[in-house]
Amino acid sequence: MDVASGDVRSTTERVLTLLGLLQQRQVWTGPELADWLGVTPRTVRRDVERLRTLGYPVHASQGVGGGYRLGPGRDLPPLLLDDEEAIATAVSLLAGAGGGVASAGDAALRALTKLDRVLPTRLRHEVRALSGSVESFGGGRTPVDPEVLMTLARACRDEVEAGFDYPSGSEVRRRRVESYRLVASDRRWYLLAYDLERDDWRSFRVDRMTDVSARTWRFRPRPTPDAATYVQEGVASRAYPLQARFLVHASADTVRAQIPASAAVVRRRGSELCEVLSGAGSLDFLLMHVLLLGHDFEVLDPPELGSAVARWRRDCCRLVQRSLLGDGEALAGRIRSFSMGPDRTGRLRPPVRGR
């Protein structure tokens, strides 16, 4: 190493150390920083100017209580962590990613994969040991093993194949996939991957995986569907034997507030219309699902669901007529007044509540 390169390296290390010191305390005096860095106050002033040139807002003030202070900037600066801080951060992120914090789990996993790139090997066993002592309670996602999440996240990041055992019907089979994205719903973690045995895209529930491993075989990325959309449509519709589409006379924002993302896909069709895609094991359940929204709607698909609408209307009329008198006749009249198109897949108007 020549003297010039040695000077550059020592200057870079000193500036990074200065940035780390400014992150530790609110205010440092010039002499304090000079003493920590082993340089003169004049060199500290030069290093402060270097940080400012890089975009870090280092403020200086005179007098008693004055000194150098790192202020908030437009971008988040790199955080310089010691061993204890790195371990505490990793354990907290593992708890957030693998536990039940629905709103923060995906962000925690993204941060954890970045930390994983630079975490020294000597600290990994401590992180693993400490993460086992962290638990959570209450709602949120189905808990999964943070180590499994990390293995899959690394496979997605490094574009390498992954393998795992996964239930299929009454048996468990080994799956070999190209891992692309981890997707978090309000309830579970999913992996979007290309299944090499079935030669097609698949989504897998992470909590159902066992014996998960990442291979060293790298793959060339394929054109990828939108991960969140693909997984949501699979969870809400394709996973069921029957699927249906409805045109609902309400805004997409209104309907999304009424239906969990894991139960239906809501697509905007104008300011006051939206399309709802859902699945279930029976047509009657699909119909009740949309009826409970309380909005006018039309059946778009399948055609046989229109027949179920007509049958449901007749059954309700008979039940009301048999069980009630007086006001029951008025209610039956309102049920009979549902407007139906000539092909029985037209608009259905639910009874008005409170009348």
Side-chain angles (χ1 to χ4, degrees):
M1 180 186 301
D2 57 29
V3 175
S5 62
D7 288 342
V8 171
R9 175 171 295 183
S10 62
T11 300
T12 302
E13 291 175 351
R14 192 177 64 248
V15 171
L16 287 174
T17 302
L18 174 60
L19 178 61
L21 291 173
L22 291 173
Q23 291 176 348
Q24 290 180 16
R25 269 174 36 183
Q26 185 173 2
V27 178
W28 289 85
T29 65
E32 286 176 330
L33 290 174
D35 185 56
W36 269 89
L37 297 173
V39 296
T40 65
R42 182 178 180 181
T43 301
V44 171
R45 289 195 295 272
R46 289 176 177 174
D47 289 344
V48 167
E49 286 302 320
R50 291 186 176 99
L51 286 176
R52 289 169 176 166
T53 302
L54 293 173
Y56 301 116
V58 182
H59 305 299
S61 57
Q62 302 293 331
V64 179
Y68 294 103
R69 176 175 57 86
L70 183 63
R74 291 179 300 177
D75 301 315
L76 182 69
L79 299 177
L80 305 179
L81 306 175
D82 60 27
D83 286 4
E84 292 183 357
E85 292 169 339
I87 291 172
T89 302
V91 170
S92 299
L93 291 171
L94 281 168
V101 185
S103 61
D106 48 355
L109 184 62
R110 290 197 307 271
L112 189 57
T113 56
K114 294 179 181 179
L115 184 61
D116 177 66
R117 278 185 180 274
V118 297
L119 193 67
T121 303
R122 69 178 185 275
L123 302 182
R124 294 183 186 277
H125 72 281
E126 296 186 46
V127 171
R128 188 175 299 109
L130 287 174
S131 65
S133 65
V134 179
E135 297 185 3
S136 61
F137 64 91
R141 295 194 190 103
T142 301
V144 297
D145 186 351
E147 285 293 326
V148 171
L149 278 178
M150 281 303 305
T151 299
L152 295 174
R154 292 189 194 107
C156 295
R157 181 192 68 194
D158 300 334
E159 297 178 348
V160 297
E161 294 181 7
F164 48 86
D165 294 336
Y166 199 78
S168 178
S170 59
E171 59 182 349
V172 177
R173 296 181 179 179
R174 190 69 180 172
R175 311 298 281 266
R176 188 168 63 93
V177 303
E178 296 175 353
S179 304
Y180 281 83
R181 293 289 186 276
L182 280 165
V183 179
S185 75
D186 54 345
R187 297 174 58 192
R188 298 184 177 92
W189 281 98
Y190 296 88
L191 173 69
L192 172 66
Y194 193 86
D195 193 317
L196 296 172
E197 301 297 330
R198 290 161 175 77
D199 196 26
D200 199 3
W201 292 100
R202 291 288 190 274
S203 59
F204 302 92
R205 277 178 51 175
V206 175
D207 61 296
R208 290 182 174 178
M209 298 178 180
T210 54
D211 194 16
V212 180
S213 63
R215 306 179 60 179
T216 57
W217 186 266
R218 298 196 64 180
F219 59 84
R220 178 175 297 179
R222 308 169 188 265
T224 313
D226 182 85
T229 300
Y230 184 91
V231 172
Q232 186 191 11
E233 289 181 354
V235 171
S237 177
R238 290 192 301 268
Y240 297 94
L242 297 173
Q243 295 85 40
R245 292 187 305 122
F246 303 92
L247 183 65
V248 178
H249 292 246
S251 68
D253 293 339
T254 298
V255 176
R256 286 194 185 108
Q258 295 178 282
I259 305 179
S262 57
V265 178
V266 181
R267 298 169 178 161
R268 190 178 303 275
R269 292 280 294 269
S271 60
E272 297 300 326
L273 291 174
C274 65
E275 181 180 323
V276 175
L277 174 66
S278 186
S282 69
L283 293 176
D284 289 339
F285 187 86
L286 282 168
L287 180 58
M288 288 301 299
H289 195 69
V290 73
L291 275 170
L292 290 175
L293 296 177
H295 307 297
D296 296 352
F297 68 90
E298 302 169 33
V299 178
L300 300 179
D301 194 58
E304 55 267 29
L305 188 56
S307 301
V309 170
R311 184 178 67 254
W312 180 89
R313 183 180 63 171
R314 291 193 300 267
D315 292 344
C316 284
C317 289
R318 282 197 297 267
L319 286 172
V320 171
Q321 290 170 342
R322 290 176 181 176
S323 60
L324 298 173
L325 296 174
D327 290 342
E329 288 295 330
L331 178 59
R334 288 210 303 276
I335 295 176
R336 285 193 298 269
S337 69
F338 286 162
S339 58
M340 297 294 298
D343 60 352
R344 293 187 176 182
T345 61
R347 184 171 178 177
L348 177 65
R349 185 184 301 277
V352 179
R353 297 188 179 96
R355 292 186 181 178

